[in-house]
Amino acid sequence: AKAYGFQKVDVFTIIFSIVVTVKDGEGNIETQTRRIEARDTDLHKVERINALSRKVCAEPITLEEFKEQLKEIEQEKPYSPWLILLIYGIASAAFTVFFGGGVGDAAAAFIGGLVLRLILMVGTRLKLQNIVLTMMCSGAAGLMALFSVWIGLGQSLDQIIIGNIMLLTPGIALTNSLRDLIRGDLISGLLVLCEA
């Protein structure tokens, strides 16, 4: 906003709301509030938007060019759902091995990771609340681990469950909440910490 001539810019952001107030050179003040309906963590898009922001701050472009580049980032194709499904399985298996599980445990965790991702996909489509979805995924991970040990695929129930549950751990949210708290943004930090 300062790159486009606004003298003062204030932004207040919490989990589901962004409030921006700007003051122009003539003393006019504009405020806009936007509710955030849905969120997702796409770090590639975050990196591209940050790069666009730095570019505009260094050398402003026309608003039309800015909107077009922003639209291009927004319409960028996400990773394939099949690739994400595979990564969930691999990550679960890797965490299981990391925490001391064997090959059978890793195979069981791999299947559990696939099930977790499928539940997340269906739950997101049904627009379930995050806490409900996390509870469903946690329950499914526990049941899958019990079943895999019962049929003899895995041996270490704890390591299989840990491998699956690590996918549900909100590491980015916890880190961001602590950063906000340390910076003095108490409302934002506490809200994100509570959500995590």
Side-chain angles (χ1 to χ4, degrees):
K2 287 185 178 179
Y4 287 102
F6 291 102
Q7 288 186 344
K8 185 163 174 44
V9 180
D10 291 307
V11 180
F12 178 71
T13 306
I14 56 175
I15 296 173
F16 292 107
S17 179
I18 299 174
V19 181
V20 178
T21 302
V22 293
K23 180 179 177 185
D24 65 17
E26 298 172 7
N28 299 316
I29 297 174
E30 297 282 335
T31 297
Q32 188 170 79
T33 301
R34 289 284 173 102
R35 179 160 170 72
I36 302 167
E37 298 291 335
R39 295 177 296 142
D40 193 16
T41 304
D42 185 336
L43 294 179
H44 180 66
K45 282 186 180 179
V46 169
E47 188 273 328
R48 291 207 51 209
I49 289 172
N50 281 341
L52 177 60
S53 176
R54 284 189 288 278
K55 175 183 167 187
V56 166
C57 288
E59 190 176 316
I61 57 178
T62 67
L63 285 177
E64 290 75 26
E65 289 175 310
F66 180 78
K67 285 179 185 178
E68 190 167 316
Q69 289 184 31
L70 197 58
K71 188 175 181 180
E72 180 184 311
I73 293 169
E74 188 178 330
Q75 292 176 344
E76 192 174 85
K77 293 255 186 222
Y79 291 109
S80 156
W82 296 108
L83 178 62
I84 295 172
L85 182 67
L86 179 65
I87 295 300
Y88 264 68
I90 292 170
S92 285
F95 277 123
T96 295
V97 171
F98 178 78
F99 287 108
V103 174
D105 300 327
F110 180 86
I111 295 167
L114 299 180
V115 170
L116 280 178
R117 180 59 190 165
L118 291 172
I119 292 171
L120 284 171
M121 288 168 61
V122 171
T124 302
R125 214 169 262 156
L126 295 174
K127 298 184 179 178
L128 296 177
Q129 293 294 324
N130 282 344
I131 192 161
V132 172
L133 198 49
T134 301
M135 290 170 64
M136 288 175 62
C137 287
S138 299
L143 290 174
M144 286 297 300
L146 283 169
F147 181 72
S148 67
V149 170
W150 182 67
I151 64 170
L153 177 60
Q155 288 75 42
S156 179
L157 184 63
D158 292 347
Q159 274 72 25
I160 297 168
I161 290 175
I162 289 171
N164 289 149
I165 295 297
M166 286 301 291
L167 298 179
L168 303 174
T169 305
I172 293 173
L174 286 171
T175 303
N176 287 342
S177 71
L178 292 176
R179 183 202 62 207
D180 287 350
L181 288 169
I182 291 168
R183 192 172 54 201
D185 295 332
L186 299 179
I187 294 173
S188 177
L190 288 172
L191 284 174
V192 174
L193 183 63
C194 288
E195 183 185 38

